[in-house]
Coordinates of all heavy atoms in Angstrom, one line a residue:
M160 N -120.6 89.7 -93.0 CA -120.3 91.0 -93.8 C -118.8 91.3 -93.6 O -118.4 91.4 -92.6 CB -121.2 92.1 -93.3 CG -121.1 93.3 -94.1 SD -122.1 94.7 -93.6 CE -123.7 94.2 -94.0
S161 N -118.2 91.6 -94.7 CA -116.7 92.0 -94.7 C -116.7 93.4 -94.2 O -117.5 94.2 -94.2 CB -116.1 91.6 -96.0 OG -116.6 92.8 -96.9
R162 N -115.4 93.8 -93.9 CA -115.1 95.3 -93.4 C -115.4 96.2 -94.6 O -115.9 97.3 -94.4 CB -113.7 95.2 -92.9 CG -113.4 94.8 -91.5 CD -112.2 95.0 -91.1 NE -111.8 94.4 -89.8 CZ -110.9 94.7 -89.1 NH1 -110.1 95.6 -89.4 NH2 -110.8 94.2 -87.8
Q163 N -115.1 95.8 -95.8 CA -115.4 96.5 -97.0 C -116.8 96.8 -97.2 O -117.1 97.9 -97.5 CB -114.6 96.0 -98.2 CG -113.1 95.9 -98.2 CD -112.6 94.8 -97.6 OE1 -113.3 93.9 -97.1 NE2 -111.3 94.7 -97.4
Q164 N -117.6 95.8 -97.1 CA -119.0 95.9 -97.3 C -119.6 96.8 -96.1 O -120.4 97.6 -96.4 CB -119.7 94.5 -97.2 CG -119.3 93.8 -98.4 CD -119.9 92.2 -98.3 OE1 -119.9 91.8 -97.2 NE2 -120.2 91.6 -99.5
F165 N -119.2 96.5 -94.9 CA -119.7 97.3 -93.8 C -119.3 98.8 -94.0 O -120.1 99.7 -93.8 CB -119.1 96.8 -92.5 CG -119.7 97.5 -91.2 CD1 -121.0 97.3 -90.9 CD2 -118.8 98.4 -90.6 CE1 -121.5 97.9 -89.7 CE2 -119.4 99.0 -89.5 CZ -120.7 98.8 -89.0
S166 N -118.0 99.1 -94.4 CA -117.6 100.4 -94.7 C -118.4 101.1 -95.8 O -118.8 102.3 -95.7 CB -116.2 100.5 -95.1 OG -115.3 99.9 -93.9
F167 N -118.8 100.4 -96.8 CA -119.5 100.9 -97.9 C -121.0 101.3 -97.5 O -121.5 102.4 -97.7 CB -119.7 99.9 -99.0 CG -120.7 100.3 -100.0 CD1 -120.3 101.2 -101.0 CD2 -121.9 99.9 -100.1 CE1 -121.2 101.7 -102.0 CE2 -122.8 100.3 -101.0 CZ -122.4 101.2 -102.0
V168 N -121.6 100.4 -96.6 CA -122.9 100.7 -96.0 C -122.8 102.1 -95.1 O -123.8 102.9 -95.3 CB -123.6 99.5 -95.2 CG1 -124.6 99.8 -94.5 CG2 -123.7 98.4 -96.1
I169 N -121.8 102.1 -94.2 CA -121.7 103.2 -93.4 C -121.6 104.6 -94.4 O -122.2 105.5 -94.1 CB -120.6 103.1 -92.5 CG1 -120.8 102.0 -91.4 CG2 -120.3 104.3 -91.7 CD1 -122.2 102.2 -90.6
G170 N -120.7 104.5 -95.3 CA -120.4 105.6 -96.2 C -121.7 106.0 -97.0 O -122.0 107.2 -97.0
F171 N -122.4 105.0 -97.4 CA -123.7 105.2 -98.1 C -124.6 105.9 -97.2 O -125.4 106.9 -97.5 CB -124.3 104.0 -98.6 CG -125.5 104.2 -99.5 CD1 -125.5 104.7 -100.7 CD2 -126.7 103.9 -98.8 CE1 -126.7 104.8 -101.4 CE2 -127.9 104.1 -99.5 CZ -127.9 104.6 -100.8
L172 N -124.8 105.4 -95.9 CA -125.8 106.0 -95.0 C -125.4 107.4 -94.6 O -126.4 108.3 -94.5 CB -125.9 105.1 -93.7 CG -126.6 103.8 -94.0 CD1 -126.4 102.9 -92.6 CD2 -128.0 103.9 -94.4
I173 N -124.1 107.8 -94.4 CA -123.7 109.1 -94.3 C -124.0 110.0 -95.4 O -124.6 111.1 -95.3 CB -122.2 109.2 -93.9 CG1 -121.9 108.5 -92.5 CG2 -121.7 110.6 -93.9 CD1 -120.4 108.2 -92.3
A174 N -123.9 109.5 -96.6 CA -124.1 110.3 -97.8 C -125.6 110.5 -97.9 O -126.1 111.6 -98.2 CB -123.6 109.6 -99.1
A175 N -126.4 109.6 -97.5 CA -127.9 109.6 -97.6 C -128.4 110.7 -96.4 O -129.3 111.5 -96.9 CB -128.6 108.4 -97.3
V176 N -127.8 110.7 -95.3 CA -128.2 111.6 -94.3 C -127.8 113.1 -94.8 O -128.6 114.0 -94.8 CB -127.5 111.4 -93.0 CG1 -127.7 112.4 -91.9 CG2 -128.2 110.1 -92.3
W177 N -126.6 113.1 -95.4 CA -126.2 114.5 -95.9 C -127.2 114.9 -97.0 O -127.6 116.1 -97.0 CB -124.8 114.3 -96.6 CG -124.1 115.6 -97.0 CD1 -124.7 116.8 -97.1 CD2 -122.6 115.6 -97.2 NE1 -123.6 117.7 -97.4 CE2 -122.5 117.1 -97.5 CE3 -121.6 114.8 -97.2 CZ2 -121.3 117.6 -97.8 CZ3 -120.4 115.4 -97.4 CH2 -120.2 116.8 -97.8
A178 N -127.5 114.0 -98.0 CA -128.5 114.5 -99.0 C -129.8 114.9 -98.5 O -130.5 115.8 -99.1 CB -128.6 113.3 -100.0
I179 N -130.4 114.1 -97.5 CA -131.6 114.3 -97.0 C -131.7 115.4 -96.0 O -132.5 116.4 -96.1 CB -132.3 113.1 -96.4 CG1 -132.5 112.1 -97.5 CG2 -133.6 113.4 -95.6 CD1 -132.8 110.6 -97.0
A180 N -130.8 115.5 -95.0 CA -130.9 116.4 -93.9 C -129.9 117.6 -93.9 O -129.9 118.5 -93.1 CB -130.7 115.8 -92.5
G181 N -128.8 117.5 -94.8 CA -127.9 118.5 -95.0 C -126.5 118.1 -94.4 O -126.4 117.2 -93.6
F182 N -125.6 119.1 -94.5 CA -124.1 118.8 -93.9 C -124.1 118.7 -92.6 O -123.5 117.8 -91.9 CB -123.2 119.8 -94.5 CG -121.8 119.7 -94.0 CD1 -121.0 118.6 -94.4 CD2 -121.4 120.4 -93.0 CE1 -119.6 118.5 -94.1 CE2 -120.1 120.3 -92.4 CZ -119.3 119.3 -93.0
G183 N -124.9 119.6 -91.7 CA -124.7 119.6 -90.4 C -125.1 118.3 -89.7 O -124.7 117.8 -88.7
A184 N -126.2 117.7 -90.3 CA -126.9 116.5 -89.7 C -125.8 115.4 -90.0 O -125.7 114.5 -89.1 CB -128.2 116.3 -90.3
A185 N -125.3 115.4 -91.1 CA -124.3 114.2 -91.5 C -123.1 114.4 -90.5 O -122.6 113.3 -90.1 CB -124.0 114.4 -92.9
A186 N -122.5 115.6 -90.4 CA -121.4 115.8 -89.5 C -121.8 115.3 -88.1 O -120.9 114.7 -87.4 CB -120.9 117.2 -89.6
G187 N -122.9 115.7 -87.6 CA -123.4 115.3 -86.3 C -123.5 113.8 -86.1 O -123.1 113.2 -85.1
A188 N -124.0 113.1 -87.1 CA -124.0 111.6 -87.2 C -122.7 111.0 -87.2 O -122.5 110.1 -86.4 CB -124.9 111.2 -88.4
V189 N -121.8 111.4 -87.9 CA -120.4 111.0 -87.9 C -119.8 111.2 -86.6 O -119.2 110.3 -86.1 CB -119.5 111.6 -89.0 CG1 -118.2 111.3 -88.8 CG2 -120.1 111.2 -90.4
L190 N -119.9 112.4 -85.9 CA -119.4 112.7 -84.6 C -120.0 111.8 -83.5 O -119.3 111.2 -82.7 CB -119.6 114.1 -84.2 CG -119.0 114.6 -82.9 CD1 -117.5 114.4 -83.0 CD2 -119.3 116.1 -82.7
A191 N -121.3 111.6 -83.6 CA -121.9 110.7 -82.6 C -121.5 109.3 -82.8 O -121.2 108.5 -81.8 CB -123.4 110.8 -82.8
G192 N -121.2 108.9 -84.0 CA -120.7 107.4 -84.2 C -119.3 107.2 -83.7 O -119.0 106.2 -83.1
L193 N -118.5 108.3 -83.9 CA -117.1 108.3 -83.3 C -117.1 108.2 -81.9 O -116.3 107.5 -81.2 CB -116.3 109.3 -83.9 CG -115.9 109.3 -85.4 CD1 -115.3 110.7 -85.9 CD2 -115.0 108.1 -85.7
V194 N -117.9 109.0 -81.2 CA -118.0 109.1 -79.8 C -118.5 107.6 -79.3 O -118.0 107.2 -78.3 CB -119.0 110.2 -79.3 CG1 -119.2 110.0 -77.8 CG2 -118.3 111.5 -79.5
G195 N -119.4 107.1 -79.9 CA -120.0 105.8 -79.5 C -119.0 104.7 -79.7 O -118.8 103.7 -78.9
W196 N -118.3 104.8 -80.8 CA -117.2 103.7 -81.1 C -116.1 103.8 -79.9 O -115.7 102.9 -79.4 CB -116.5 104.1 -82.4 CG -115.3 103.1 -82.7 CD1 -115.3 101.9 -83.2 CD2 -114.0 103.7 -82.6 NE1 -114.0 101.5 -83.4 CE2 -113.2 102.5 -83.0 CE3 -113.3 104.7 -82.3 CZ2 -111.9 102.6 -82.9 CZ3 -111.9 104.8 -82.2 CH2 -111.2 103.7 -82.5
L197 N -115.7 105.1 -79.7 CA -114.7 105.3 -78.6 C -115.2 104.8 -77.2 O -114.5 104.2 -76.6 CB -114.3 106.7 -78.5 CG -113.2 107.1 -77.5 CD1 -111.9 106.5 -77.9 CD2 -113.1 108.7 -77.5
A198 N -116.5 105.0 -76.9 CA -117.1 104.7 -75.7 C -117.1 103.1 -75.6 O -116.7 102.5 -74.5 CB -118.5 105.2 -75.5
V199 N -117.3 102.4 -76.7 CA -117.3 101.0 -76.6 C -115.9 100.4 -76.5 O -115.7 99.5 -75.8 CB -117.9 100.4 -77.9 CG1 -117.6 98.9 -78.0 CG2 -119.5 100.8 -77.9
R200 N -115.0 101.1 -77.1 CA -113.5 100.6 -77.0 C -113.0 100.8 -75.6 O -112.4 100.0 -75.1 CB -112.6 101.4 -78.0 CG -112.9 101.3 -79.5 CD -112.5 99.9 -80.0 NE -111.2 99.6 -79.8 CZ -110.4 99.1 -80.8 NH1 -110.8 99.1 -82.0 NH2 -109.1 98.9 -80.5
V201 N -113.5 101.9 -74.9 CA -113.0 102.1 -73.5 C -113.7 101.0 -72.6 O -113.0 100.4 -71.8 CB -113.4 103.5 -73.1 CG1 -113.2 103.7 -71.6 CG2 -112.6 104.6 -73.8
I202 N -115.0 100.8 -72.9 CA -115.7 99.8 -71.9 C -115.1 98.4 -72.2 O -114.9 97.7 -71.2 CB -117.2 99.7 -72.4 CG1 -117.9 101.1 -71.9 CG2 -117.9 98.6 -71.8 CD1 -119.3 101.4 -72.3
D203 N -114.7 98.2 -73.4 CA -114.2 96.7 -73.6 C -112.7 96.7 -73.1 O -112.2 95.6 -73.1 CB -114.1 96.4 -75.2 CG -115.5 96.0 -75.7 OD1 -116.4 95.8 -74.9 OD2 -115.7 96.1 -76.9
G204 N -112.1 97.8 -72.8 CA -110.8 97.8 -72.2 C -109.7 97.9 -73.3 O -108.6 97.7 -73.0
D205 N -110.0 98.1 -74.6 CA -109.1 98.2 -75.6 C -108.3 99.6 -75.6 O -107.2 99.7 -76.0 CB -109.7 98.1 -77.0 CG -110.4 96.7 -77.2 OD1 -109.8 95.7 -76.6 OD2 -111.3 96.6 -78.1
I206 N -108.9 100.5 -75.0 CA -108.4 101.9 -74.9 C -108.6 102.3 -73.4 O -109.6 102.2 -72.9 CB -109.1 102.9 -75.8 CG1 -109.0 102.5 -77.3 CG2 -108.6 104.4 -75.6 CD1 -109.6 103.4 -78.1
S207 N -107.5 102.8 -72.8 CA -107.6 103.4 -71.5 C -107.8 104.9 -71.5 O -107.1 105.6 -72.3 CB -106.4 103.0 -70.6 OG -105.3 103.6 -71.0
V208 N -108.7 105.4 -70.5 CA -108.9 106.8 -70.6 C -107.5 107.5 -70.0 O -107.2 108.5 -70.5 CB -110.1 107.2 -69.6 CG1 -110.1 108.7 -69.5 CG2 -111.3 106.5 -70.1
A209 N -106.9 106.9 -69.1 CA -105.6 107.4 -68.6 C -104.5 107.5 -69.8 O -103.9 108.7 -69.9 CB -105.0 106.7 -67.6
G210 N -104.4 106.6 -70.7 CA -103.6 106.6 -71.8 C -104.0 107.8 -72.8 O -103.1 108.5 -73.5
L211 N -105.2 108.0 -72.9 CA -105.7 109.0 -73.8 C -105.3 110.5 -73.1 O -104.9 111.4 -73.9 CB -107.2 109.0 -74.2 CG -107.7 107.8 -74.9 CD1 -109.2 107.8 -75.0 CD2 -107.1 108.1 -76.4
A212 N -105.5 110.6 -71.9 CA -105.2 111.7 -71.2 C -103.7 112.1 -71.3 O -103.3 113.2 -71.6 CB -105.7 111.8 -69.7
D213 N -102.8 111.0 -71.2 CA -101.5 111.2 -71.2 C -101.1 111.8 -72.6 O -100.2 112.6 -72.8 CB -100.7 109.9 -71.0 CG -100.8 109.6 -69.5 OD1 -101.1 110.4 -68.6 OD2 -100.5 108.3 -69.2
R214 N -101.7 111.2 -73.7 CA -101.3 111.6 -75.0 C -101.8 113.1 -75.2 O -101.1 113.7 -75.8 CB -102.1 110.7 -76.1 CG -101.4 109.3 -76.2 CD -102.1 108.6 -77.3 NE -101.7 107.2 -77.2 CZ -102.0 106.3 -78.2 NH1 -102.9 106.6 -79.1 NH2 -101.6 105.1 -78.1
A215 N -102.9 113.5 -74.6 CA -103.4 114.9 -75.0 C -102.4 115.9 -74.3 O -102.1 116.8 -74.8 CB -104.9 115.0 -74.5
T216 N -102.1 115.5 -73.1 CA -101.2 116.5 -72.3 C -99.8 116.4 -73.0 O -99.2 117.5 -72.8 CB -101.2 116.2 -70.8 OG1 -100.7 114.8 -70.7 CG2 -102.6 116.4 -70.2
A217 N -99.3 115.4 -73.5 CA -97.9 115.3 -73.9 C -97.8 116.2 -75.2 O -96.8 116.8 -75.4 CB -97.6 113.9 -74.3
S218 N -99.0 116.1 -76.0 CA -98.8 116.9 -77.3 C -99.0 118.3 -77.1 O -98.5 119.2 -77.8 CB -100.0 116.4 -78.2 OG -101.2 116.8 -77.6
R219 N -99.5 118.8 -75.9 CA -99.7 120.3 -75.6 C -98.4 120.8 -75.1 O -98.1 121.9 -75.2 CB -100.8 120.4 -74.5 CG -102.2 120.2 -75.1 CD -103.2 120.5 -74.1 NE -104.6 120.1 -74.5 CZ -105.7 120.0 -73.9 NH1 -105.5 120.1 -72.5 NH2 -106.8 119.7 -74.4
R220 N -97.5 119.9 -74.5 CA -96.2 120.3 -74.0 C -95.1 120.7 -75.1 O -94.4 121.4 -74.8 CB -95.7 119.4 -73.0 CG -96.4 119.2 -71.8 CD -95.8 118.2 -70.9 NE -96.8 117.7 -69.9 CZ -96.7 116.6 -69.2 NH1 -95.8 115.8 -69.5 NH2 -97.8 116.4 -68.3
R221 N -95.4 120.0 -76.2 CA -94.4 120.3 -77.2 C -94.5 121.7 -78.0 O -95.2 122.5 -78.0 CB -94.7 119.3 -78.4 CG -94.4 117.9 -77.9 CD -94.7 116.9 -79.0 NE -94.6 115.6 -78.5 CZ -94.9 114.5 -79.1 NH1 -95.3 114.5 -80.4 NH2 -94.7 113.2 -78.5

């Protein structure tokens, strides 16, 4: 499955959740998906938690 096809399926599923359960459920599903994606990236070593913390504190100092 290509990235475009996968993105279409994800978008369709989000729209279906929105239509069936409402906006809050769809927003919660998207947020849960983003948290899961971030957790897997951290576990795989693609993203470091220290790097994220440095970025967050650097933007607050500006």
Side-chain angles (χ1 to χ4, degrees):
M160 184 182 292
S161 71
R162 287 184 180 196
Q163 289 87 3
Q164 292 170 330
F165 185 72
S166 299
F167 173 79
V168 169
I169 295 300
F171 181 80
L172 291 175
I173 291 170
V176 169
W177 189 343
I179 293 169
F182 177 76
V189 170
L190 182 61
L193 288 173
V194 168
W196 174 82
L197 184 61
V199 169
R200 298 292 300 239
V201 168
I202 291 169
D203 285 346
D205 295 335
I206 299 174
S207 69
V208 176
L211 290 174
D213 289 344
R214 287 183 185 186
T216 56
S218 65
R219 290 182 185 167
R220 291 182 196 156
R221 293 181 187 172

